Amino acid sequence: MTTNTPTTTKDQPAATTAPGLIPLPPASARITAVIGAATTFASTFLAWTWTEAFPGNLTISGYPGGLQVLTLTGALLTLLFLLSGQGIRGLRWLTPGGTNSPVLLLALGTFAVTWFAVGAIAVELGGLVNLEPGGWIAAVTSLLLVIAATALPSDLPADDQRPATGTWKRLLHSFKAPEPGRAAPLPAWIEVLTIAAACGAGLIVFTYGIGTEYGQLFIGFLILTGFGAPALQRSGLVRRFSTLSQKHRNVTITAAFVAAAAFPFTQESDTYTSVAVSILIFATVAVGLNVVVGLAGLLDLGYVAFLGVGAYTAALVSGAPTAALGIQFPFWAAVLAGAVVSMIFGVIIGAPTLRVRGDYLAIVTLGFGEIFRIAMQNLDGTSGPDITNGPNGIPSIPDLKFFSFDLGEPHTVLGVELGRFANYYLLMLLFTALIIIVFRRSDRSRIGRAWVAIREDETAAGAMGINSFRLKLMAFALGATLAGIAGTVLAHVEYGVHPDGYKFVHTVPPNSAFLLAAVILGGMGTVSGPLIGAALLYLIPAKLQFMADYQLLLFGIALVLLMRFRPEGLIADRRQQLEFHETGQLDVPKDSATGLTKTEA
């Protein structure tokens, strides 16, 4: 009888394994999985359908395209992790935390993408009869790959000798992060190159995702990344990169900024750069809301109004033909005016409303958001003073100018012509970096720790001498200021402002509901969480316009699933993760031999 014994290497901690979901010898399962992954990889070089009517042109043999590229990527990654589990030299670094769980997740992702492509071909073209042999081979071999992957032993943490019982429990165990272990030290120059390579890989993934040309390809991209991300986390690569980034913090920040700044230089036109600008604006506002919700714990449902305050302020001082003030501020003054006016509104609104807590605060801030929108509609010269041009808004806002540099005109940099949206993208990237610095400094300061104390228990914080009202007002004002900065750029990017763009729920973000969802989806209290959440919530409606009628339904289902399986968000804050999940620690330690506490013994 074969037994699985703990193994210890220099790269990973001692781990145990449990039998796979299917009773198949591990050696046979691994060989079958390698054959399935290799055959699935090869099937992408064959034609999957006979007609070009399906998007992506899957009729060419020898040249993968469209959804075939995603299947190829998933099969290749699965094969690499399989070979890494065999201890092949040069690939051991892929699995510092576990060997089999990443294989299972990537196999599931490859299977899901392949069968989604087969199903989409059948639906779009009218039946499975439209599949060519390559499509049938891909479907069968990807199924074989999943069956073999489920037969592999399940990875278990070193401190848990009991296998997870039940098929679904074992499968869900694959999504859990591995236990921390000691990684083998690497030379400093290799660590720096690893950080640069990781940032470059992130740029490639983002560029591919934002450049998907049709809905089916974007859905396939979401499926593969949805399985690939937890696979990388389960393998231990994410933890290792986090360790390297903390060790070389300045290098990581520089590499991430350079990778983000390189995005416009990878685009041939402004088609997708315009989407990237909107994502940055949405993400910047989400980071500002994270100060209010994630750090101070204040449920603000009218936060989008501060974005509108900054946008309307910039519009009034921009020199637009329909602006009531008839003045034009320079670039720096317009941004400063939007930030200051938003901060003033934050103090004015926060002073009376922050006296209440919880649901009452949410209701009051929701009312403020609606009051702002209605007030902008009524300041039309009929229902009130002629300031905002009423429901017509303020159109024809000129582009920003930084000294003699006009952001509305194309410029050639390093031999690449950057259009209007590329200029605004680089400007918003600078503002995003500034706002991230402010957030991180605030989070790690004495004030930030006081905000966290108020979020956890305001009564206890007050008993410890913290002036909760003053600190909550500071968080409210800081969040409003950050939103006002983004609003000044938004007004110029969109050539105008309109009151209907600042509703609580709107089909096009940013709005208060989507901003709050971006913070919760990404992870409250983190920096990268709201950025990722905002990018997903902006890209998904933009790419899946054919599902616009079911957008809110699918959005609600996604939130329910998120709250059930990962309530701390995609990028979990350590404190939030401990709050939402059991740590497995006992209040009274048990004896290792008898399994009883001292009292029971």
Side-chain angles (χ1 to χ4, degrees):
M1 182 176 65
T2 303
T3 59
N4 295 314
T5 57
T7 59
T8 305
T9 66
K10 189 166 53 176
D11 272 345
Q12 66 186 56
T16 59
T17 57
L21 303 181
I22 296 177
L24 189 69
S28 301
R30 191 170 295 276
I31 293 174
T32 306
V34 170
I35 295 174
T39 311
T40 304
F41 176 86
S43 69
T44 60
F45 291 88
L46 302 174
W48 283 14
T49 183
W50 61 274
T51 175
E52 298 180 6
F54 186 80
N57 191 10
L58 308 183
T59 64
I60 303 176
S61 296
Y63 187 81
L67 288 166
Q68 289 176 323
V69 176
L70 297 176
T71 297
L72 181 149
T73 304
L76 179 60
L77 290 175
T78 307
L79 186 60
L80 290 175
F81 276 93
L82 279 167
L83 297 178
S84 173
Q86 291 296 103
I88 295 180
R89 185 178 298 275
L91 294 178
R92 296 175 184 175
W93 58 271
L94 284 174
T95 54
T99 58
N100 296 328
S101 295
V103 172
L104 176 59
L105 291 171
L106 289 170
L108 288 171
T110 305
F111 168 79
V113 169
T114 304
W115 280 65
F116 168 75
V118 171
I121 291 173
V123 172
E124 292 285 338
L125 302 181
L128 294 174
V129 69
N130 295 283
L131 285 176
E132 288 290 300
W136 288 107
I137 294 174
V140 173
T141 55
S142 63
L143 177 60
L144 177 65
L145 173 61
V146 169
I147 294 175
T150 53
L152 294 174
S154 301
D155 295 326
L156 290 178
D159 59 349
D160 189 357
Q161 304 293 332
R162 297 170 300 172
T165 58
T167 300
W168 287 108
K169 288 185 178 180
R170 292 184 185 179
L171 186 60
L172 290 176
H173 178 79
S174 300
F175 287 86
K176 296 181 180 179
E179 293 297 317
R182 294 178 298 176
L186 297 173
W189 64 274
I190 293 182
E191 294 179 344
V192 172
L193 287 180
T194 302
I195 293 173
C199 293
L203 173 63
I204 293 174
V205 172
F206 177 76
T207 302
Y208 184 88
I210 202 174
T212 49
E213 298 177 351
Y214 48 93
Q216 294 89 341
L217 184 59
F218 184 72
I219 293 177
F221 171 77
L222 289 180
I223 293 174
L224 186 59
T225 53
F227 283 95
L232 295 178
Q233 183 180 16
R234 193 67 185 89
S235 69
L237 287 176
V238 174
R239 186 184 67 243
R240 171 167 289 187
F241 177 76
S242 177
T243 302
L244 293 180
S245 63
Q246 293 176 3
K247 182 178 179 181
H248 305 279
R249 183 176 301 276
N250 294 333
V251 174
T252 304
I253 295 174
T254 303
F257 184 81
V258 170
F263 172 75
F265 296 91
T266 64
Q267 304 298 304
E268 297 179 355
S269 65
D270 266 356
T271 303
Y272 300 118
T273 311
S274 62
V275 179
V277 173
S278 300
I279 290 175
L280 274 182
I281 294 175
F282 190 15
T284 301
V285 182
V287 173
L289 180 60
N290 200 20
V291 175
V292 181
V293 177
L295 295 184
L298 306 175
L299 185 56
D300 188 353
L301 298 183
Y303 187 75
V304 74
F306 297 118
L307 178 70
V309 171
Y312 267 98
T313 301
L316 290 173
V317 300
S318 63
T322 57
L325 299 183
I327 57 177
Q328 184 172 3
F329 283 4
F331 163 75
W332 63 270
V335 174
L336 185 61
V340 170
V341 174
S342 297
M343 180 187 66
I344 293 174
F345 267 84
V347 173
I348 293 175
I349 300 301
T353 59
L354 293 178
R355 302 287 182 180
V356 297
R357 304 181 186 179
D359 298 337
Y360 300 101
L361 177 62
I363 294 172
V364 171
T365 54
L366 176 61
F368 163 66
E370 290 301 302
I371 289 173
F372 169 79
R373 181 180 61 84
I374 296 173
M376 296 301 102
Q377 288 180 342
N378 292 336
L379 297 178
D380 56 356
T382 302
S383 302
D386 186 10
I387 299 177
T388 63
N389 205 23
N392 297 323
I394 303 177
S396 303
I397 297 178
D399 288 301
L400 286 171
K401 291 184 179 180
F402 187 68
F403 297 106
S404 60
F405 189 89
D406 191 344
L407 274 69
E409 297 179 356
H411 297 84
T412 302
V413 180
L414 300 177
V416 178
E417 185 178 13
L418 301 180
R420 176 178 182 269
F421 288 107
N423 296 330
Y424 278 106
Y425 172 86
L426 295 175
L427 175 64
M428 273 307 305
L429 187 61
L430 292 174
F431 282 151
T432 304
L434 175 63
I435 290 175
I436 288 176
I437 292 174
V438 172
F439 179 86
R440 293 184 66 90
R441 293 292 185 181
S442 301
D443 183 20
R444 298 180 179 182
S445 65
R446 183 179 63 180
I447 295 176
R449 293 193 295 270
W451 283 339
V452 173
I454 293 172
R455 182 191 68 191
E456 299 301 323
D457 192 329
E458 185 174 347
T459 303
M464 296 299 295
I466 296 176
N467 189 334
S468 60
F469 173 76
R470 185 181 66 181
L471 289 170
K472 289 193 297 183
L473 187 61
M474 290 176 61
F476 215 70
L478 178 59
T481 304
L482 300 181
I485 294 175
T488 58
V489 180
L490 178 64
H492 291 84
V493 169
E494 295 185 347
Y495 285 122
V497 292
H498 194 275
D500 288 340
Y502 305 101
K503 295 181 179 179
F504 173 71
V505 177
H506 195 259
T507 55
V508 179
N511 56 68
S512 292
F514 274 75
L515 287 171
L516 184 61
V519 174
I520 296 175
L521 172 64
M524 293 189 299
T526 64
V527 176
S528 56
L531 298 177
I532 295 176
L536 289 175
L537 290 181
Y538 190 92
L539 274 178
I540 291 176
K543 294 293 183 178
L544 305 181
Q545 295 181 359
F546 65 95
M547 301 177 65
D549 295 338
Y550 306 97
Q551 176 180 326
L552 292 179
L553 173 63
L554 297 176
F555 177 65
I557 294 175
L559 285 182
V560 170
L561 294 176
L562 179 72
M563 293 298 101
R564 171 60 183 85
F565 296 105
R566 196 170 178 84
E568 70 273 18
L570 298 178
I571 307 297
D573 178 69
R574 182 62 177 170
R575 183 189 299 271
Q576 296 286 343
Q577 195 170 21
L578 292 175
E579 289 178 1
F580 286 114
H581 295 281
E582 295 182 0
T583 61
Q585 297 177 352
L586 299 173
D587 293 334
V588 181
K590 290 187 176 181
D591 184 79
S592 58
T594 63
L596 300 175
T597 64
K598 293 182 179 180
T599 304
E600 294 171 341

